[in-house]
């Protein structure tokens, strides 16, 4: 403890305090305005008490100890009041060497239980709710209104034949005879299977047998036309297209 044998008690409330002691520093300063302060009481030792115990001095192991119950009178705002400046100078300037001890809070330490949300003023909460309401109203105003579907006319109408011809030109320019043959065979099977009473998952043997039975053509030739290798030349591709057309016409009787 910094003051062994000294008890600290609340000082009586008052405005200005008189020294009422024989301490030279206090007598020269006269009336002092301490502000909120503590007073000291010592048991079993000789103590010089001034200002109602707010300033004491005593001897301890050959040293002179002076204790003040408040430091407000030494601050910039307290020095101009009453005899505060005189008392501060008398106490601090009495010796050539001065050691100033002031307890400091550790950085980041906070003894308050107030949360972060408790520091927000109540008006800020209403402001946030008002902003949210404004945003919701603007979103509703700018939002797209749901309504019945409206048919829109196409900007350009393209005939199916032009689409087929354009796709054929692309295949021809890239010499993609395999893709062209696959497209022709897939289209033929897509039209044949419902006519033959077969599902989309029917295997090649079932399809070949049904087409051969319906058209009267050779099963091997039908399998070659529907599932054979891709044509090697453009003439072969043209012959394949004609053969697929014949198979479809014979199988469907059209």
């Amino acid at each position: 403890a910094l003051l062994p044998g000294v008890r600290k008690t609340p000082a009586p409330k008052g405005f200005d305090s008189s020294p009422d002691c024989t301490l030279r520093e206090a007598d020269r300063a006269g009336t002092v305005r301490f502000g909120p302060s503590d007073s000291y009481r010592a048991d079993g030792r000789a103590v010089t008490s001034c200002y109602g115990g707010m300033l004491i001095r005593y001897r301890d192991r050959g040293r002179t100890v002076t204790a003040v119950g408040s430091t407000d009178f030494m601050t910039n705002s307290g020095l101009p009041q009453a005899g505060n400046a005189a008392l501060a100078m008398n106490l601090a300037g009495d010796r050539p060497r001065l050691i100033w001890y002031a307890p400091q809070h550790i950085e980041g330490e906070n003894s308050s239980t107030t949360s972060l949300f408790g520091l927000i003023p109540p008006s800020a909460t209403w402001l946030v709710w008002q902003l949210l309401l404004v945003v919701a109203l603007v979103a509703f105003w700018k939002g797209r209104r749901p309504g019945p579907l409206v048919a829109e006319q196409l900007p350009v109408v393209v005939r199916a034949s032009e689409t087929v011809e354009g796709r054929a030109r692309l295949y021809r320019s890239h010499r993609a005879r395999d893709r062209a043959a696959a497209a022709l065979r897939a289209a033929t099977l897509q039209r044949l299977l419902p006519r033959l009473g077969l599902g989309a998952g029917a295997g090649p043997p079932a399809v070949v047998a049904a087409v051969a039975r319906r058209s009267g053509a050779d099963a091997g030739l039908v399998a070659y036309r529907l599932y054979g290798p891709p044509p090697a030349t453009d003439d072969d591709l043209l012959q394949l297209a004609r053969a697929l057309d014949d198979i479809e016409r014979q199988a469907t009787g059209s």
Side-chain angles (χ1 to χ4, degrees):
L2 293 177
L3 301 174
V6 177
R7 294 183 293 106
K8 183 171 63 174
T9 60
K13 295 182 179 180
F15 196 66
D16 293 341
S17 301
S18 300
D20 297 332
C21 65
T22 59
L23 189 64
R24 181 170 56 90
E25 291 85 347
D27 286 339
R28 289 183 177 181
T31 303
V32 174
R33 187 176 302 174
F34 283 96
S37 177
D38 295 325
S39 63
Y40 299 99
R41 298 289 183 271
D43 299 330
R45 71 169 69 234
V47 175
T48 302
S49 177
C50 304
Y51 302 105
M54 288 182 283
L55 171 63
I56 64 172
R57 175 172 289 180
Y58 62 91
R59 297 285 297 176
D60 181 30
R61 300 177 185 178
R63 298 175 300 175
T64 301
V65 179
T66 303
V68 185
S70 174
T71 58
D72 291 347
F73 73 98
M74 295 185 180
T75 60
N76 292 337
S77 60
L79 287 175
Q81 301 176 6
N84 294 3
L87 180 61
M89 290 298 298
N90 293 339
L91 293 177
D94 188 39
R95 297 289 187 273
R97 182 184 180 190
L98 174 65
I99 299 177
W100 187 278
Y101 172 76
Q104 301 291 331
H105 287 287
I106 300 176
E107 185 176 356
E109 181 182 6
N110 184 13
S111 58
S112 176
T113 58
T114 305
S115 63
L116 179 61
F117 294 101
L119 300 177
I120 301 176
S123 57
T125 304
W126 287 106
L127 180 61
V128 171
W129 282 110
Q130 290 176 3
L131 290 176
L132 292 177
L133 179 60
V134 170
V135 171
L137 292 176
V138 172
F140 179 77
W141 173 47
K142 291 291 186 179
R144 188 173 182 178
R145 300 291 190 274
L149 297 178
V150 178
E152 297 182 0
Q153 296 182 355
L154 296 176
V156 178
V157 178
V158 181
R159 293 181 299 174
S161 60
E162 294 182 5
T163 305
V164 174
E165 291 176 359
R167 189 173 182 181
R169 291 192 187 97
L170 289 175
Y171 283 146
R172 184 176 182 180
S173 63
H174 290 79
R175 297 181 180 179
R177 288 182 288 270
D178 53 345
R179 295 186 179 181
L184 292 174
R185 285 166 172 164
T188 301
L189 290 174
Q190 186 177 6
R191 292 188 296 269
L192 278 177
L193 293 180
R195 298 286 188 91
L196 299 175
L198 300 176
V207 175
V208 170
V211 172
R213 184 172 57 255
R214 182 71 65 87
S215 63
D218 180 66
L221 182 61
V222 172
Y224 180 79
R225 297 299 186 190
L226 294 178
Y227 300 102
T233 63
D234 292 343
D235 292 337
D236 294 341
L237 179 62
L238 182 60
Q239 293 179 6
L240 175 63
R242 292 173 179 172
L244 291 175
D245 186 59
D246 293 339
I247 290 175
E248 183 178 358
R249 186 171 56 255
Q250 294 172 3
T252 58
S254 58

